[in-house]
Amino acid sequence: MIDLRSDTITRPTEAMRTAMARADVGDDVYGDDPTVRALEDRVAGLFGHEAALFTVTGSLANLLAVRSVVPVGTEVLCEADAHIVRAELGAHAALGGVTTRTWRHPRGLVDRALVEQLVAPDLGPFLVRTAALSVENTHNFAGGVVQPLAALRGLRDLADAYGLAMHLDGARIWNAHVATRVPLAGYGAVADVLGVCLSKGLGAPIGSLMVGSAERVAEARVWRKRLGGGWRQAGVLAAAGLHALDHHVERLADDHANARVLAEACGVDPTDVDTNIVVVACADAAAVVADARERGVLTSAVGPRTLRLVTHLDVDASAARKAAEVLAPLVR
Ligand SMILES: *Cc1c(COP(=O)(O)O)cnc(C)c1O
Protein backbone atom coordinates (compact mmCIF):
# COMPACT_ATOMS: atom_id res chain seq x y z
CA MET A 1 0.00 0.00 0.00
CA ILE A 2 1.18 3.53 -0.83
CA ASP A 3 -0.23 5.62 1.98
CA LEU A 4 -0.93 9.26 1.07
CA ARG A 5 -3.47 9.92 3.83
CA SER A 6 -1.14 11.95 6.02
CA ASP A 7 2.49 12.64 6.86
CA THR A 8 1.74 11.44 10.40
CA ILE A 9 1.73 7.79 9.30
CA THR A 10 5.52 7.49 8.95
CA ARG A 11 7.27 4.84 11.02
CA PRO A 12 10.68 5.47 12.60
CA THR A 13 13.60 4.41 10.41
CA GLU A 14 16.18 1.89 11.63
CA ALA A 15 18.66 4.69 12.28
CA MET A 16 16.04 6.61 14.28
CA ARG A 17 15.24 3.48 16.32
CA THR A 18 18.94 3.06 17.07
CA ALA A 19 19.16 6.67 18.27
CA MET A 20 16.09 6.09 20.46
CA ALA A 21 17.53 2.89 21.96
CA ARG A 22 20.78 4.65 22.86
CA ALA A 23 19.20 7.77 24.37
CA ASP A 24 20.43 8.95 27.73
CA VAL A 25 17.28 9.37 29.87
CA GLY A 26 16.02 10.57 33.26
CA ASP A 27 12.76 11.63 34.89
CA ASP A 28 11.58 14.66 32.94
CA VAL A 29 9.07 15.75 35.59
CA TYR A 30 12.15 16.36 37.77
CA GLY A 31 13.86 18.05 34.80
CA ASP A 32 16.34 15.16 34.77
CA ASP A 33 16.11 13.91 31.19
CA PRO A 34 19.20 15.17 29.35
CA THR A 35 17.89 14.21 25.92
CA VAL A 36 14.60 16.06 26.42
CA ARG A 37 16.50 19.10 27.66
CA ALA A 38 18.82 18.94 24.64
CA LEU A 39 15.85 18.81 22.27
CA GLU A 40 14.09 21.70 24.02
CA ASP A 41 17.23 23.85 23.97
CA ARG A 42 17.95 23.06 20.35
CA VAL A 43 14.45 23.84 19.10
CA ALA A 44 14.23 27.05 21.14
CA GLY A 45 17.53 28.11 19.57
CA LEU A 46 16.42 27.26 16.03
CA PHE A 47 13.51 29.68 16.37
CA GLY A 48 15.50 32.32 18.26
CA HIS A 49 13.39 31.98 21.42
CA GLU A 50 14.44 31.49 25.04
CA ALA A 51 12.79 28.17 25.78
CA ALA A 52 10.74 25.25 24.51
CA LEU A 53 8.62 22.48 26.04
CA PHE A 54 8.38 18.96 24.61
CA THR A 55 4.76 17.77 24.37
CA VAL A 56 2.99 14.60 23.28
CA THR A 57 1.03 16.29 20.44
CA GLY A 58 0.88 19.43 18.38
CA SER A 59 -2.58 20.02 19.78
CA LEU A 60 -1.13 20.18 23.30
CA ALA A 61 1.70 22.47 22.15
CA ASN A 62 -0.89 24.79 20.56
CA LEU A 63 -3.17 24.65 23.60
CA LEU A 64 -0.31 25.63 25.92
CA ALA A 65 0.95 28.29 23.52
CA VAL A 66 -2.43 29.93 22.93
CA ARG A 67 -3.45 29.89 26.59
CA SER A 68 -0.13 31.54 27.47
CA VAL A 69 -1.08 34.63 25.45
CA VAL A 70 -4.91 34.63 25.55
CA PRO A 71 -6.41 35.16 29.02
CA VAL A 72 -9.69 33.38 29.90
CA GLY A 73 -12.65 35.14 28.31
CA THR A 74 -10.66 37.00 25.65
CA GLU A 75 -10.24 36.03 21.99
CA VAL A 76 -7.74 34.89 19.41
CA LEU A 77 -8.31 35.70 15.72
CA CYS A 78 -7.41 33.14 13.06
CA GLU A 79 -8.32 31.92 9.57
CA ALA A 80 -11.59 29.96 9.37
CA ASP A 81 -9.88 26.70 8.37
CA ALA A 82 -7.14 26.90 10.99
CA HIS A 83 -6.30 23.65 12.78
CA ILE A 84 -6.78 25.34 16.18
CA VAL A 85 -10.46 26.01 15.43
CA ARG A 86 -11.32 22.99 13.26
CA ALA A 87 -9.27 20.05 14.40
CA GLU A 88 -8.45 20.43 18.10
CA LEU A 89 -11.91 19.42 19.33
CA GLY A 90 -12.64 22.77 20.94
CA ALA A 91 -9.71 22.42 23.35
CA HIS A 92 -8.97 26.14 23.42
CA ALA A 93 -12.54 26.87 24.53
CA ALA A 94 -13.06 23.78 26.68
CA LEU A 95 -9.73 23.97 28.54
CA GLY A 96 -8.33 27.44 27.88
CA GLY A 97 -11.49 29.57 28.21
CA VAL A 98 -10.57 31.15 24.87
CA THR A 99 -13.06 32.49 22.33
CA THR A 100 -12.34 32.92 18.63
CA ARG A 101 -13.40 34.91 15.60
CA THR A 102 -12.15 34.07 12.14
CA TRP A 103 -11.32 35.60 8.78
CA ARG A 104 -11.65 33.54 5.60
CA HIS A 105 -9.21 33.45 2.72
CA PRO A 106 -9.59 31.01 -0.22
CA ARG A 107 -5.96 29.88 0.16
CA GLY A 108 -5.82 30.16 3.95
CA LEU A 109 -3.58 33.20 3.77
CA VAL A 110 -3.06 36.12 6.06
CA ASP A 111 -4.90 39.19 4.83
CA ARG A 112 -3.91 42.15 6.98
CA ALA A 113 -6.91 44.28 5.98
CA LEU A 114 -9.39 41.50 6.81
CA VAL A 115 -7.69 40.86 10.14
CA GLU A 116 -7.66 44.53 11.06
CA GLN A 117 -11.45 44.69 10.57
CA LEU A 118 -11.83 42.03 13.25
CA VAL A 119 -9.42 43.41 15.83
CA ALA A 120 -11.22 44.57 18.96
CA PRO A 121 -8.73 46.04 21.41
CA ASP A 122 -10.10 46.97 24.80
CA LEU A 123 -13.43 48.59 23.84
CA GLY A 124 -14.88 48.59 27.34
CA PRO A 125 -16.44 46.07 29.70
CA PHE A 126 -19.05 44.84 27.22
CA LEU A 127 -17.13 43.55 24.16
CA VAL A 128 -14.75 40.62 23.98
CA ARG A 129 -11.16 41.85 23.87
CA THR A 130 -8.80 40.54 21.20
CA ALA A 131 -5.64 39.23 22.88
CA ALA A 132 -3.81 37.52 20.04
CA LEU A 133 -3.59 36.66 16.35
CA SER A 134 -2.85 33.11 15.21
CA VAL A 135 -1.39 32.01 11.89
CA GLU A 136 -0.81 28.53 10.50
CA ASN A 137 2.31 27.94 8.39
CA THR A 138 2.08 25.86 6.35
CA HIS A 139 -1.70 25.89 6.23
CA ASN A 140 -2.92 22.31 6.43
CA PHE A 141 -6.53 22.42 5.21
CA ALA A 142 -5.68 25.00 2.54
CA GLY A 143 -3.28 22.43 1.06
CA GLY A 144 0.15 22.98 2.60
CA VAL A 145 0.15 26.65 1.62
CA VAL A 146 3.14 28.74 2.70
CA GLN A 147 2.44 32.12 4.29
CA PRO A 148 4.70 34.71 2.63
CA LEU A 149 7.15 36.17 5.16
CA ALA A 150 6.19 39.72 4.17
CA ALA A 151 2.56 38.99 5.10
CA LEU A 152 3.62 37.52 8.43
CA ARG A 153 5.70 40.60 9.13
CA GLY A 154 2.74 42.78 8.19
CA LEU A 155 0.61 40.89 10.69
CA ARG A 156 3.33 41.26 13.33
CA ASP A 157 3.23 45.04 12.78
CA LEU A 158 -0.55 44.98 13.15
CA ALA A 159 -0.24 42.98 16.37
CA ASP A 160 2.28 45.48 17.72
CA ALA A 161 0.11 48.43 16.75
CA TYR A 162 -2.77 47.02 18.83
CA GLY A 163 -0.72 45.44 21.62
CA LEU A 164 -1.64 41.86 20.60
CA ALA A 165 0.40 38.67 20.84
CA MET A 166 1.13 36.40 17.85
CA HIS A 167 0.81 32.61 17.86
CA LEU A 168 2.27 30.59 15.01
CA ASP A 169 0.94 27.07 14.44
CA GLY A 170 4.08 25.67 12.85
CA ALA A 171 3.14 22.00 12.72
CA ARG A 172 4.78 22.01 9.26
CA ILE A 173 7.04 25.06 9.63
CA TRP A 174 9.94 22.86 8.46
CA ASN A 175 8.20 22.42 5.10
CA ALA A 176 7.77 26.20 4.79
CA HIS A 177 11.46 26.68 5.66
CA VAL A 178 12.66 24.16 3.06
CA ALA A 179 10.29 25.48 0.38
CA THR A 180 11.28 29.14 0.85
CA ARG A 181 14.72 29.01 2.52
CA VAL A 182 13.43 31.53 5.06
CA PRO A 183 15.45 30.68 8.21
CA LEU A 184 13.44 29.11 11.03
CA ALA A 185 14.50 32.08 13.16
CA GLY A 186 12.88 34.38 10.59
CA TYR A 187 9.56 32.69 11.29
CA GLY A 188 10.33 32.62 15.01
CA ALA A 189 10.90 36.38 14.99
CA VAL A 190 7.29 37.19 14.01
CA ALA A 191 5.77 35.09 16.81
CA ASP A 192 5.56 35.34 20.60
CA VAL A 193 4.69 31.64 20.89
CA LEU A 194 4.81 28.71 18.50
CA GLY A 195 3.73 25.10 18.29
CA VAL A 196 5.93 22.88 16.08
CA CYS A 197 5.59 19.16 15.29
CA LEU A 198 8.24 16.47 14.92
CA SER A 199 5.63 13.82 14.13
CA LYS A 200 4.58 15.08 10.69
CA GLY A 201 7.03 15.41 7.81
CA LEU A 202 10.04 15.00 10.08
CA GLY A 203 9.05 11.39 10.70
CA ALA A 204 9.35 11.12 14.49
CA PRO A 205 6.81 8.71 16.01
CA ILE A 206 5.59 11.15 18.69
CA GLY A 207 6.36 14.68 19.75
CA SER A 208 5.86 18.40 19.33
CA LEU A 209 7.13 21.49 21.10
CA MET A 210 5.71 24.72 22.43
CA VAL A 211 8.25 27.52 21.94
CA GLY A 212 8.36 30.94 23.61
CA SER A 213 9.84 33.03 26.41
CA ALA A 214 11.35 31.39 29.50
CA GLU A 215 8.48 32.72 31.59
CA ARG A 216 5.71 31.45 29.28
CA VAL A 217 7.36 28.06 28.92
CA ALA A 218 7.80 27.72 32.72
CA GLU A 219 4.09 28.38 33.16
CA ALA A 220 3.27 25.97 30.31
CA ARG A 221 5.28 23.28 32.09
CA VAL A 222 2.92 23.59 35.05
CA TRP A 223 -0.13 23.47 32.79
CA ARG A 224 1.21 20.46 30.89
CA LYS A 225 1.51 18.56 34.20
CA ARG A 226 -1.91 19.79 35.31
CA LEU A 227 -3.41 18.38 32.13
CA GLY A 228 -1.77 15.02 32.74
CA GLY A 229 0.93 15.55 30.14
CA GLY A 230 4.03 15.39 32.35
CA TRP A 231 6.24 12.51 31.28
CA ARG A 232 9.15 10.60 32.68
CA GLN A 233 11.94 8.99 30.58
CA ALA A 234 10.73 10.75 27.43
CA GLY A 235 14.31 10.99 26.20
CA VAL A 236 13.69 7.95 24.00
CA LEU A 237 11.16 10.10 22.11
CA ALA A 238 13.25 13.26 22.21
CA ALA A 239 16.10 11.25 20.64
CA ALA A 240 13.84 10.50 17.69
CA GLY A 241 13.18 14.23 17.37
CA LEU A 242 16.88 15.12 17.50
CA HIS A 243 17.60 12.47 14.88
CA ALA A 244 14.82 13.91 12.70
CA LEU A 245 16.28 17.42 12.98
CA ASP A 246 19.68 16.08 11.93
CA HIS A 247 18.53 13.92 9.03
CA HIS A 248 14.97 14.67 7.92
CA VAL A 249 14.69 18.41 7.38
CA GLU A 250 16.46 18.95 4.05
CA ARG A 251 14.89 15.82 2.54
CA LEU A 252 11.45 17.49 2.77
CA ALA A 253 12.36 18.93 -0.65
CA ASP A 254 11.88 15.37 -2.00
CA ASP A 255 8.35 15.28 -0.57
CA HIS A 256 7.60 18.60 -2.25
CA ALA A 257 8.87 17.30 -5.61
CA ASN A 258 6.79 14.13 -5.22
CA ALA A 259 3.71 16.22 -4.41
CA ARG A 260 4.16 18.11 -7.68
CA VAL A 261 4.31 14.80 -9.58
CA LEU A 262 0.99 13.79 -8.02
CA ALA A 263 -0.50 17.22 -8.72
CA GLU A 264 0.41 17.11 -12.38
CA ALA A 265 -1.09 13.62 -12.80
CA CYS A 266 -4.31 14.73 -11.09
CA GLY A 267 -4.78 17.89 -13.18
CA VAL A 268 -3.79 20.27 -10.38
CA ASP A 269 -1.52 23.17 -11.34
CA PRO A 270 1.82 22.18 -9.72
CA THR A 271 2.60 25.83 -9.07
CA ASP A 272 -0.36 25.78 -6.62
CA VAL A 273 1.45 23.09 -4.60
CA ASP A 274 3.78 24.90 -2.22
CA THR A 275 4.86 21.90 -0.14
CA ASN A 276 3.79 18.28 0.54
CA ILE A 277 -0.02 18.48 0.40
CA VAL A 278 -2.11 18.25 -2.77
CA VAL A 279 -5.81 19.06 -2.76
CA VAL A 280 -7.66 17.58 -5.73
CA ALA A 281 -11.19 18.50 -6.80
CA CYS A 282 -13.10 15.49 -8.16
CA ALA A 283 -16.72 14.48 -8.78
CA ASP A 284 -16.98 11.94 -5.95
CA ALA A 285 -14.13 11.88 -3.46
CA ALA A 286 -15.43 8.86 -1.51
CA ALA A 287 -15.57 6.79 -4.72
CA VAL A 288 -12.01 7.79 -5.66
CA VAL A 289 -10.80 6.84 -2.16
CA ALA A 290 -12.44 3.39 -2.48
CA ASP A 291 -11.17 2.74 -6.03
CA ALA A 292 -7.66 3.91 -5.20
CA ARG A 293 -7.58 1.68 -2.12
CA GLU A 294 -8.39 -1.35 -4.29
CA ARG A 295 -5.44 -0.40 -6.47
CA GLY A 296 -3.06 -0.07 -3.52
CA VAL A 297 -3.15 3.68 -2.86
CA LEU A 298 -4.59 5.18 0.33
CA THR A 299 -5.93 8.75 0.10
CA SER A 300 -8.39 10.79 2.15
CA ALA A 301 -11.61 12.58 1.30
CA VAL A 302 -11.65 15.92 3.11
CA GLY A 303 -14.95 16.98 1.52
CA PRO A 304 -17.58 15.39 -0.75
CA ARG A 305 -15.66 16.56 -3.81
CA THR A 306 -12.23 17.09 -2.31
CA LEU A 307 -9.41 14.59 -2.11
CA ARG A 308 -6.21 15.15 -0.13
CA LEU A 309 -2.83 13.59 -0.90
CA VAL A 310 0.14 14.02 1.43
CA THR A 311 3.71 13.00 0.63
CA HIS A 312 6.23 11.98 3.29
CA LEU A 313 9.29 9.96 4.30
CA ASP A 314 7.67 6.60 3.55
CA VAL A 315 6.75 7.50 -0.06
CA ASP A 316 9.78 7.64 -2.35
CA ALA A 317 9.88 8.99 -5.91
CA SER A 318 9.00 5.67 -7.53
CA ALA A 319 6.04 5.14 -5.16
CA ALA A 320 4.86 8.66 -5.94
CA ARG A 321 5.02 7.95 -9.69
CA LYS A 322 3.14 4.69 -9.20
CA ALA A 323 0.45 6.43 -7.13
CA ALA A 324 0.20 9.14 -9.79
CA GLU A 325 -0.49 6.47 -12.46
CA VAL A 326 -3.21 4.92 -10.30
CA LEU A 327 -4.87 8.23 -9.42
CA ALA A 328 -4.77 9.99 -12.80
CA PRO A 329 -7.63 8.03 -14.42
CA LEU A 330 -9.68 7.97 -11.20
CA VAL A 331 -9.86 11.71 -10.60
CA ARG A 332 -10.72 12.64 -14.21
C1 LIG B 1 -1.21 18.00 12.84
C2 LIG B 1 -1.38 19.42 13.14
C3 LIG B 1 -1.36 19.91 14.46
C4 LIG B 1 -1.19 19.02 15.68
O1 LIG B 1 -1.76 17.80 15.58
P1 LIG B 1 -1.59 16.60 16.63
O2 LIG B 1 -2.25 15.49 15.90
O3 LIG B 1 -2.28 17.03 17.85
O4 LIG B 1 -0.13 16.38 16.84
C5 LIG B 1 -1.50 21.25 14.66
N1 LIG B 1 -1.64 22.09 13.63
C6 LIG B 1 -1.64 21.68 12.36
C7 LIG B 1 -1.74 22.67 11.27
C8 LIG B 1 -1.52 20.33 12.06
O5 LIG B 1 -1.54 19.93 10.79
Side-chain angles (χ1 to χ4, degrees):
M1 281 287 183
I2 300 170
D3 197 339
L4 302 174
R5 289 173 302 170
S6 174
D7 47 9
T8 57
I9 63 99
T10 55
R11 279 153 303 183
T13 60
E14 279 309 309
M16 183 180 277
R17 286 171 196 256
T18 302
M20 295 170 77
R22 289 188 181 151
D24 200 359
V25 298
D27 190 327
D28 184 53
V29 168
Y30 290 88
D32 283 349
D33 192 301
T35 311
V36 170
R37 285 213 304 257
L39 175 69
E40 290 173 341
D41 289 349
R42 179 157 169 197
V43 171
L46 287 175
F47 291 96
H49 281 251
E50 285 173 351
L53 183 71
F54 190 36
T55 61
V56 67
T57 59
S59 296
L60 182 56
N62 278 341
L63 175 66
L64 296 172
V66 170
R67 73 150 302 289
S68 79
V69 291
V70 185
V72 171
T74 65
E75 71 183 3
V76 58
L77 307 180
C78 63
E79 206 275 329
D81 275 328
H83 197 277
I84 64 165
V85 285
R86 279 199 69 197
E88 295 177 9
L89 289 306
H92 301 271
L95 303 167
V98 166
T99 69
T100 48
R101 278 182 305 140
T102 56
W103 73 88
R104 187 176 277 290
H105 185 283
R107 296 200 76 221
L109 293 172
V110 165
D111 181 327
R112 185 182 162 148
L114 280 181
V115 180
E116 189 158 15
Q117 285 170 21
L118 293 175
V119 172
D122 201 348
L123 297 174
F126 32 77
L127 288 172
V128 176
R129 178 172 70 81
T130 308
L133 311 176
S134 176
V135 187
E136 192 170 308
N137 193 23
T138 67
H139 195 304
N140 178 357
F141 292 121
V145 172
V146 173
Q147 307 284 349
L149 185 62
L152 293 175
R153 287 189 172 142
L155 205 65
R156 174 77 259 178
D157 290 344
L158 182 70
D160 289 342
Y162 288 97
L164 311 177
M166 276 266 287
H167 165 249
L168 179 61
D169 180 352
R172 294 187 182 80
I173 194 72
W174 327 97
N175 296 81
H177 160 64
V178 167
T180 61
R181 302 321 306 181
V182 171
L184 293 168
Y187 289 129
V190 300
D192 298 286
V193 283
L194 301 88
V196 301
C197 293
L198 305 168
S199 55
K200 304 275 170 86
L202 294 193
I206 292 172
S208 294
L209 294 103
M210 176 233 175
V211 182
S213 69
E215 192 183 338
R216 288 197 176 105
V217 169
E219 200 200 343
R221 194 176 293 279
V222 174
W223 271 93
R224 183 186 64 173
K225 185 77 171 73
R226 185 171 285 139
L227 293 165
W231 45 14
R232 305 294 177 175
Q233 288 73 23
V236 288
L237 298 173
L242 287 164
H243 178 87
L245 291 173
D246 286 336
H247 301 286
H248 295 171
V249 176
E250 292 308 321
R251 64 149 305 284
L252 291 171
D254 301 344
D255 297 346
H256 301 172
N258 291 335
R260 288 193 293 271
V261 168
L262 289 165
E264 216 151 348
C266 294
V268 174
D269 183 349
T271 61
D272 282 347
V273 177
D274 289 352
T275 55
N276 69 326
I277 302 177
V278 185
V279 176
V280 186
C282 57
D284 183 348
V288 174
V289 169
D291 290 349
R293 175 184 279 272
E294 272 184 23
R295 291 165 177 78
V297 178
L298 299 178
T299 58
S300 38
V302 292
R305 279 177 289 279
T306 312
L307 193 70
R308 193 182 75 154
L309 314 171
V310 187
T311 56
H312 52 76
L313 191 57
D314 289 1
V315 177
D316 62 15
S318 84
R321 279 194 301 274
K322 202 168 148 215
E325 277 168 31
V326 167
L327 292 168
L330 300 180
V331 301
R332 294 291 154 84

